[in-house]
Amino acid sequence: MARYILIRLALVIPTLLGIMFINFLIVQAAPGGPVEQTLAKLSGLNMDSTARISGSGSEFSGGAQPLTNAPILSYESKESHYRGAQGLPPEIIKEIEAMYGFNKPAHERFWEMLKDYASMDFGESFYRDVPVLDLVMEKMPVSLSLGIWSTLIIYLISIPLGIAKSIRDGGRFDFWSSMVIIIGYAIPSFLFAILMVVLFAGGSVFDLFPLRGLTSDNWDQLPWAARITDYFWHITLPVLAMVVGGFATLTMLTKNSFIEEINKQYVLTARAKGCTEKQVLYRHIFRNALLIVIAGFPAAFLGAFFTGSLLIEVIFSLDGLGLLGFEAVIARDYPVMFGTLYIFSFIGILTTLLTDLTYRLVDPRIDFDAR
C-alpha cells in the first residue's frame, strides 16, 4: 500500500501540469481577455496623457501621447489585433499589455505562472487588487459550510434510506419513499431554494430565517453558544436546498448496490450457515455494497464544494468560492481563474487518493500493490 501511495503522490505534479496546460491553452484561445475588456472601456473615453483605468488602480504616464487635442476615435491602430483597439495609440495598448503581463509570449507567461505556483504565489486579482490566496481564504468558510454540511447530511440520509429500501424492495415503504425521491430528483436545488425563500425567509408566508450572509452582523459580540445557534440559523435553508437536490441519486445508488449484493451466492451461503439477517446485512453485504457508494464521495463533495453551490450562493447572498470562480470567468480575471483552478485540482487529486485509502479500510481484500 505504501508503494501505491508513493506512486499516486508522484503523479500529482504531472497531473496538475496537464490540467493547467490544457486550461491555459483554452483560455488563450477564448476572446474577451482583460486587455480587450480594458480597451473596450477606453475606446469611448477622451483621456489625457495620464489616463486611468477604472478599477485597476494603475496609471498610464510617460509613454502615452497627449490625447486632448484629437479625438481618440480619429486614430486607427492597424497593427493591433485586439477588438476595440481602433482609435487608441499603440503606446497605450503596449502599456495595457505590460500591466496585465501580455507583453510576453504565452509560453513565458505559462512558465512564470508555474514557478510562482510552486512557491504558493498565486498573484493578485486584476480587478480587486487583492492576492488570490487571500480571496480564496476569505470565501472558503462559505463553501466549506455548504459543502461539508450538505455532503454529510446527504450521506447520513441516503445510506440508511437506501439500505431500508433494498430490504423492503417492492413493498409499501419502497413505493412511497420512491415517490419522495422522484420529487426530490425532479426539483432542481436552486428552484427549491427559491421556494424556501418564499415560504420561510420573508418572501410571502413566514419570516423565520435570514436571507443574507453566513452570520449576523453582531456575531463577534455574541457568546459562543449564541454564535453556534446564529451560524446554523443562517445555514439551514441553503444546506436544505442542496440536500434535497442531491440525496435522490445517492439513495438509489445505495439501494441498487445492496440489491445486487443480496442476490449473490455468498449471501445464500451465509444464510444457510444460520446467520441472522442483521449479520448477513452488516457483516457480509455492507462492505461490498458500500464500495460503489464510497466511489462517488469525491465527486459529490467536490461538486457541492466548488460548483453545486453557485446558484445557492447567489440566491442566499453567500459570497463563496463558487461565486468567486464564476465572476472571475466572466471578468477574465486570469490570476483568480488559474489560482482557484490549481487549488481545486490539487484538493481533488488528494481527495481521490483518500477515497482509495478508504476502499482499503472498508474492504481489506483490496490490494492496490498487487494490481
Side-chain angles (χ1 to χ4, degrees):
M1 192 65 179
R3 178 175 174 271
Y4 174 78
I5 295 175
L6 292 176
I7 294 175
R8 289 292 300 271
L9 291 177
L11 290 174
V12 170
I13 295 178
T15 303
L16 284 176
L17 288 176
I19 293 173
M20 300 302 296
F21 179 71
I22 293 174
N23 284 273
F24 186 83
L25 291 180
I26 294 174
V27 169
Q28 298 306 307
V35 176
E36 291 181 342
Q37 293 194 15
T38 303
L39 291 174
K41 293 179 182 179
L42 295 178
S43 61
L45 300 178
N46 189 10
M47 305 177 304
D48 56 15
S49 59
T50 58
R52 293 175 177 269
I53 295 181
S54 175
S56 67
S58 302
E59 293 183 358
F60 299 108
S61 60
Q65 298 177 353
L67 305 176
T68 55
N69 295 329
I72 289 178
L73 295 178
S74 65
Y75 187 96
E76 293 186 1
S77 176
K78 297 181 180 180
E79 298 179 356
S80 177
H81 61 279
Y82 296 109
R83 294 181 181 178
Q86 290 76 14
L88 291 177
E91 294 82 2
I92 293 289
I93 298 175
K94 290 180 180 179
E95 289 195 37
I96 296 175
E97 289 179 334
M99 184 180 66
Y100 290 118
F102 282 81
N103 57 333
K104 301 177 182 178
H107 67 277
E108 290 186 12
R109 288 185 278 118
F110 181 71
W111 176 247
E112 290 182 359
M113 181 181 68
L114 293 181
K115 290 193 297 184
D116 292 337
Y117 284 7
S119 61
M120 299 301 293
D121 180 11
F122 301 103
E124 291 189 357
S125 169
F126 283 159
Y127 307 109
R128 306 192 189 203
D129 292 331
V130 179
V132 174
L133 194 58
D134 291 347
L135 276 175
V136 172
M137 297 306 297
E138 179 185 347
K139 315 299 183 184
M140 187 71 75
V142 173
S143 296
L144 277 177
S145 298
L146 294 178
I148 291 177
W149 287 115
S150 61
T151 305
L152 179 62
I153 295 175
I154 286 173
Y155 269 76
L156 288 178
I157 293 176
S158 299
I159 292 179
L161 181 59
I163 294 174
K165 286 176 63 63
S166 65
I167 296 174
R168 301 170 177 83
D169 184 36
R172 183 177 299 179
F173 174 82
D174 182 43
F175 173 79
W176 288 109
S177 60
S178 296
M179 295 296 293
V180 176
I181 291 173
I182 291 173
I183 295 174
Y185 185 80
I187 300 178
S189 58
F190 73 91
L191 189 60
F192 188 78
I194 296 175
L195 178 63
M196 292 294 98
V197 170
V198 172
L199 293 179
F200 302 111
S204 300
V205 185
F206 303 104
D207 189 7
L208 302 178
F209 294 93
L211 190 56
R212 181 178 297 274
L214 197 62
T215 56
S216 300
D217 295 335
N218 62 336
W219 190 80
D220 293 333
Q221 287 76 37
L222 298 175
W224 67 269
R227 290 185 182 184
I228 296 175
T229 303
D230 181 77
Y231 167 76
F232 283 107
W233 182 46
H234 280 77
I235 207 69
T236 297
L237 292 186
V239 170
L240 182 61
M242 296 184 68
V243 168
V244 170
F247 87 100
T249 302
L250 185 59
T251 300
M252 296 307 299
L253 179 65
T254 304
K255 175 191 173 182
N256 295 334
S257 178
F258 271 80
I259 288 178
E260 182 180 357
E261 294 297 325
I262 288 174
N263 295 325
K264 289 186 176 180
Q265 185 64 39
Y266 73 90
V267 176
L268 298 178
T269 303
R271 287 172 177 167
K273 290 182 177 180
C275 294
T276 64
E277 288 299 319
K278 285 187 177 181
Q279 290 175 335
V280 172
L281 180 63
Y282 292 106
R283 288 186 182 180
H284 300 277
I285 298 176
F286 189 80
R287 285 186 173 181
N288 296 327
L290 208 60
L291 288 176
I292 191 172
V293 178
I294 295 174
F297 176 78
F301 176 73
L302 295 177
F305 190 35
F306 300 128
T307 58
S309 62
L310 172 58
L311 294 176
I312 302 299
E313 291 176 10
V314 174
I315 293 172
F316 291 99
S317 300
L318 298 172
D319 194 7
L321 292 175
L323 187 59
L324 174 66
F326 176 76
E327 292 177 346
V329 172
I330 296 299
R332 299 298 194 272
D333 195 346
Y334 290 164
V336 177
M337 288 174 57
F338 288 112
T340 53
L341 174 66
Y342 181 87
I343 296 173
F344 297 167
S345 301
F346 183 72
I347 295 176
I349 294 171
L350 293 183
T351 305
T352 306
L353 176 59
L354 180 62
T355 303
D356 291 343
L357 298 179
T358 309
Y359 276 152
R360 183 65 182 272
L361 293 176
V362 174
D363 191 351
R365 296 173 300 174
I366 297 178
D367 189 359
F368 292 104
D369 289 333
R371 294 183 60 188

